[in-house]
Amino acid sequence: GAYMDESPQLYPCEPDYWKNKFGRRTRIVIGYFLILIFELAFISIIWVPIFIFLPLFFDNLFTKCLSALTLIALLTSLVLPPKEWIWARKLGQLWYELFSFSCNLSPAECQRFVDEGNTDTELNPNNKSKQYIIGMHPHGILPFHAILWSAYCDQYMQHDGKSLYGFGAVADVTLYIPFLRNFLGWLAAGSASYGPLIAGLRDGKSPSVNAANRIPRNLYLLPGGVAEIYTSKPRRHAIVFKNRRGLIKLSIESGAYIIPTYVFGASDFFHNLTTNNNFQWLMTFSRRIRCCLSAFWGPFGLPIPFIPRLTMCAGKPIAPPTEWEGKSTGAPCPPELIEAMHAQVLEEITRVFEKYKVVAGYPDGHLEVL
């Protein structure tokens, strides 16, 4: 299994929902178009203003119609409230074959996660089931693997009518990007600020999820955030975690277990202009505004991604400390317990990386912890 010292094994993911609807070639073509649509949503703040103001420079019927349609779509996107749409989770299955997507969790391990996890749709303070925070590295320039996780969790992390699908966390600025905000809402993603995260884990409050009459109990996020985008380039394995304690504090305060997870290939989608020290100022500015400013390209210098093989490898759940001196009187968790858990999480993701790097196709890979 994933946690034992036996030989590493991977389990290919199958697009069960789509298999009887389309042939393999059609699934791959549709999946690739979905990739381009997802990327266009990410960069909509660039092309939307261009399309809207195009008639100012090229005044003809086509540009006027294009401008009007773009403006209508923009207003619709901004007016519609974010709301979870369960069917949207299945779109990621169309990327399984394209990325040769596989995971290290066996069906039995997935079932055990569900059986032990908190899948209640109603808050129950007496429920002692585990809650999980899936902390996935690396971020990559565009996190296509986050969409794959939503499909994987919806498909494989469910058993006997129970599901571990919870809610996601994204940079606040993305919740204001036209079209992307709607897509993220469909997948139950919300603010990555500490307040909304602890409210989601502890109280089951997450706007897009609650709007669909569901109460989330588990969290998915990319802890490396904007800083990790600037480490992303093909064949490099780098995570930003050495000096970060927010995830640990979130786990301790909520009582949720952390599942350290590494996705091989997640840095291989694009070349990145800003991975050298000449752009340190841009990285600093981007972190201040919590939005990545960079230039990237894929095949033939075009802004389209390479299609690497993706392998998602989850580690064993790391339990937060539950008792310490003075807790009953409101004393915060001592720094030494925070540091001890941080070391455990880092040790586990390093173990996972070393165990699976050969079967994932990176035999000479070295994990940088920044």
Side-chain angles (χ1 to χ4, degrees):
Y3 312 143
M4 308 301 289
D5 290 330
E6 59 193 41
S7 299
Q9 186 173 353
L10 300 176
Y11 300 86
C13 298
E14 299 290 338
D16 293 342
Y17 182 81
W18 302 101
K19 269 192 168 180
N20 295 327
K21 294 178 173 60
F22 305 108
R24 185 176 186 275
R25 184 174 298 177
T26 303
R27 292 195 299 268
I28 289 176
V29 170
I30 296 174
Y32 192 78
F33 275 106
L34 283 175
I35 285 175
L36 299 181
I37 291 171
F38 182 63
E39 183 175 347
L40 283 173
F42 255 98
I43 61 174
S44 62
I45 54 175
I46 297 175
W47 61 264
V48 165
I50 292 175
F51 282 12
I52 289 176
F53 295 107
L54 200 58
L56 296 178
F57 305 95
F58 302 96
D59 188 9
N60 55 58
L61 181 61
F62 174 77
T63 57
K64 289 179 179 178
C65 290
L66 182 62
S67 175
L69 289 173
T70 304
L71 185 59
I72 292 171
L74 171 64
L75 294 175
T76 302
S77 169
L78 296 178
V79 168
L80 287 175
K83 181 180 179 180
E84 181 181 43
W85 183 26
I86 293 177
W87 184 83
R89 305 173 189 175
K90 304 185 187 304
L91 293 175
Q93 290 189 29
L94 289 166
W95 293 355
Y96 286 174
E97 295 158 304
L98 197 61
F99 291 113
S100 301
F101 184 57
S102 59
C103 183
N104 68 328
L105 297 178
S106 69
E109 286 167 329
C110 289
Q111 180 177 325
R112 187 172 72 246
F113 267 119
V114 177
D115 289 341
E116 295 179 355
N118 189 329
T119 60
D120 282 0
T121 55
E122 296 182 0
L123 291 178
N124 179 0
N126 297 317
N127 191 334
K128 300 303 180 183
S129 299
K130 296 176 182 177
Q131 284 180 267
Y132 299 115
I133 299 173
I134 294 85
M136 189 174 289
H137 297 273
H139 187 290
I141 294 178
L142 296 184
F144 297 107
H145 46 302
I147 310 304
L148 283 163
W149 161 254
S150 70
Y152 180 89
C153 186
D154 176 69
Q155 181 180 355
Y156 291 100
M157 293 293 193
Q158 57 85 26
H159 174 62
D160 288 342
K162 300 186 296 182
S163 172
L164 283 185
Y165 201 97
F167 68 112
V170 295
D172 287 4
V173 69
T174 61
L175 300 176
Y176 297 94
I177 297 178
F179 312 119
L180 180 62
R181 66 185 296 273
N182 307 102
F183 188 69
L184 295 174
W186 294 347
L187 296 177
S191 170
S193 298
Y194 193 86
L197 295 185
I198 193 64
L201 285 168
R202 195 169 52 191
D203 305 320
K205 294 180 180 179
S206 179
S208 65
V209 182
N210 299 153
N213 298 317
R214 188 172 69 85
I215 296 175
R217 305 302 295 144
N218 305 288
L219 170 65
Y220 162 81
L221 78 168
L222 298 159
V226 170
E228 211 164 77
I229 296 175
Y230 286 98
T231 70
S232 179
K233 66 178 181 180
R235 309 298 294 187
R236 184 184 186 186
H237 305 279
I239 66 173
V240 178
F241 192 70
K242 183 181 293 184
N243 297 316
R244 299 202 164 192
R245 302 296 183 273
L247 181 66
I248 308 302
K249 294 177 182 178
L250 182 67
S251 169
I252 293 171
E253 188 171 348
S254 66
Y257 288 58
I258 294 177
I259 302 178
T261 305
Y262 191 86
V263 180
F264 292 92
S267 293
D268 295 347
F269 298 121
F270 298 101
H271 292 291
N272 188 356
L273 179 66
T274 54
T275 48
N276 62 65
N277 293 329
N278 294 333
F279 292 90
Q280 187 68 33
W281 63 272
L282 186 58
M283 183 174 71
T284 302
F285 178 69
S286 294
R287 292 183 68 177
R288 286 184 179 275
I289 64 173
R290 296 187 177 185
C291 177
C292 177
L293 301 175
S294 182
F296 55 88
W297 64 94
F300 312 109
L302 298 174
I304 57 176
F306 294 106
I307 306 297
R309 171 189 171 192
L310 293 180
T311 307
M312 181 176 70
C313 297
K316 64 183 179 182
I318 306 298
T322 56
E323 297 295 334
W324 56 85
E325 185 177 354
K327 180 181 179 182
S328 59
T329 60
C333 184
E336 57 268 23
L337 293 184
I338 294 175
E339 293 303 314
M341 187 179 181
H342 181 274
Q344 281 184 284
V345 172
L346 188 55
E347 180 182 0
E348 180 60 13
I349 199 167
T350 302
R351 183 194 71 82
V352 167
F353 179 88
E354 293 298 330
K355 178 176 180 178
Y356 289 98
K357 67 180 185 180
V358 174
V359 293
Y362 299 86
D364 300 322
H366 168 69
L367 182 64
E368 301 176 57
V369 181
L370 306 174

